[in-house]
Amino acid sequence: MMRYIKLYFKYAKLSIMSKLSYKSNTIIGILAFLFTEITSILTLFVIVSQVPSLEGWNMYQIGLLYGITNLAIGIDHFFTDKLWNVAYFEVRSGAMDSLFLRPLPVLFQTIACEIQLEALGEILTAIFLIVFCASNLTLMVNFANVLLLLIGIICASLLISSFKIIIASMAFAFKRTGPFLQIIYNFANYSKYPLTIFPKIIRFAFTFLIPLGLCIFYPVSNLFEPLNLGINIYLLMVIIILLSIIVFILSIFIWAHFAKKYESTGS
C-alpha cells in the first residue's frame, strides 16, 4: 500500500510540474472554469430570486446545496479527470497501450497520471458560494451534522468517480463511451437542486440508484431541521460510507472485467 501511495504522489508531482510548465494555459483554464461556475451561479440566483421559495427552500438554502454539490464534483474533477479521455479518445487511438505494458494496475496509472488544476476554479467558486450562503442562514451546526456533511461530500466525490470508472471502462469493449458518460454526468447535475421538487422516480434514483441525493441532499437538509428518516444520524453515516465503498469496489471489478477486452486499435 505504501508503495502505491508513494507512486501516486510521484505521478501527481510530475502531472503538476507538466501543467505548470505552461503557466499561462493553466491560469487561463482555472479562470475559465471560475467564470463558467460564476455565470452558472448568477443564473441560478436570478431564476430562484423570482420565487419566494421552492418546495420550502429559499434562495440561500438552494445556493448552499448547489455549492456543496459542486464542491464534491470539483474534488472528483481534480483527481479523476483523465477518465474522460479514456471514455472519449484514448482507447480508440491505442494510447492506452503503454499503460497495459507497465507493471502497475492500469486504473491506478490512469487516475494517478493527471491532476486537473483547472478544477481549482470549480472548487474555489463552490467554497465561496458555501460560505456566502451559510452566512445568510441559521444553521443547526453541531459535531454530528458537520461530520455527516463532510462524509457526504467525500462519499459523493467517490461515487461520482466510481460511475466514471464504470462508464470509462466500457470503452475497452465499445471503443468510445464518452457521450454516455456525458449523459450520466448531466443527469447527476440535477442533484444540485432539492430532491423534493422532482417526481418520486427521480427522488428514488438519486437516493438508491445514483445515490448523490443520499450523500448530499439529506446532510444539507439536516442543517436546516432534523431529518425524519426513522434512523439514527450515525447509522445514516455508516450507510453512506458503506454504499459508496461498495459502489467503488464494484467499479474496480467492472474496470478489471472490461480491461480484459482491450485491443489496441492502432488508429
Side-chain angles (χ1 to χ4, degrees):
M1 179 61 72
M2 287 302 300
R3 174 173 176 259
Y4 284 107
I5 293 174
K6 290 178 181 178
L7 281 172
Y8 178 84
F9 281 107
K10 287 182 180 180
Y11 269 105
K13 181 180 178 180
L14 289 172
S15 174
I16 292 172
M17 289 175 61
S18 174
K19 290 182 180 297
L20 291 181
S21 64
Y22 301 95
K23 293 181 181 178
S24 58
N25 288 349
T26 301
I27 293 172
I28 290 172
I30 293 172
L31 292 177
F33 265 95
L34 197 65
F35 178 76
T36 301
E37 290 303 316
I38 290 173
T39 303
S40 298
I41 291 167
L42 290 176
T43 302
L44 172 70
F45 272 93
V46 168
I47 295 172
V48 175
S49 65
Q50 302 303 309
V51 292
S53 68
L54 192 62
E55 288 292 328
W57 287 63
N58 63 38
M59 179 172 65
Y60 296 111
Q61 290 174 321
I62 294 173
L64 182 64
L65 176 63
Y66 193 97
I68 289 173
T69 306
N70 261 11
L71 179 59
I73 293 173
I75 293 170
D76 160 74
H77 183 194
F78 186 81
F79 289 106
T80 68
D81 194 58
K82 184 72 170 178
L83 291 168
W84 283 96
N85 291 343
V86 175
Y88 268 107
F89 315 114
E90 297 197 351
V91 174
R92 295 184 70 183
S93 66
M96 299 289 292
D97 288 4
S98 60
L99 301 186
F100 278 89
L101 293 173
R102 295 172 188 166
L104 285 170
V106 176
L107 178 59
F108 171 81
Q109 295 181 74
T110 302
I111 292 176
C113 72
E114 182 167 342
I115 296 294
Q116 185 55 270
L117 295 180
E118 294 175 356
L120 291 174
E122 200 170 4
I123 293 171
L124 291 173
T125 308
I127 292 173
F128 173 80
L129 182 60
I130 291 167
V131 173
F132 172 74
C133 292
S135 64
N136 286 278
L137 293 167
T138 301
L139 302 175
M140 297 172 56
V141 179
N142 55 51
F143 175 78
N145 288 357
V146 172
L147 182 60
L148 176 63
L149 184 62
L150 291 175
I151 288 173
I153 292 171
I154 294 170
C155 289
S157 295
L158 184 60
L159 282 170
I160 294 167
S161 299
S162 299
F163 283 109
K164 284 171 69 175
I165 290 170
I166 291 171
I167 303 303
S169 70
M170 293 179 182
F172 293 136
F174 304 109
K175 306 307 180 188
R176 187 170 184 261
T177 56
F180 186 47
L181 178 56
Q182 188 64 60
I183 291 172
I184 298 296
Y185 217 75
N186 291 342
F187 182 73
N189 279 331
Y190 288 117
S191 63
K192 296 178 181 180
Y193 306 96
L195 288 186
T196 49
I197 70 174
F198 298 112
K200 289 183 179 180
I201 188 171
I202 302 295
R203 279 183 261 172
F204 177 85
F206 277 121
T207 302
F208 299 107
L209 302 181
I210 305 178
L212 295 178
L214 185 65
C215 293
I216 298 293
F217 175 74
Y218 294 110
V220 172
S221 298
N222 196 53
L223 293 173
F224 308 137
E225 59 183 53
L227 289 173
N228 185 24
L229 298 177
I231 59 173
N232 181 275
I233 190 171
Y234 291 102
L235 179 56
L236 178 60
M237 295 180 198
V238 173
I239 292 172
I240 290 173
I241 292 170
L242 288 178
L243 183 60
S244 61
I245 290 174
I246 289 170
V247 175
F248 179 65
I249 293 173
L250 178 64
S251 72
I252 293 174
F253 278 104
I254 292 174
W255 175 281
H257 170 74
F258 280 104
K260 295 176 183 178
K261 301 180 181 296
Y262 178 72
E263 295 178 354
S264 178
T265 60
S267 62

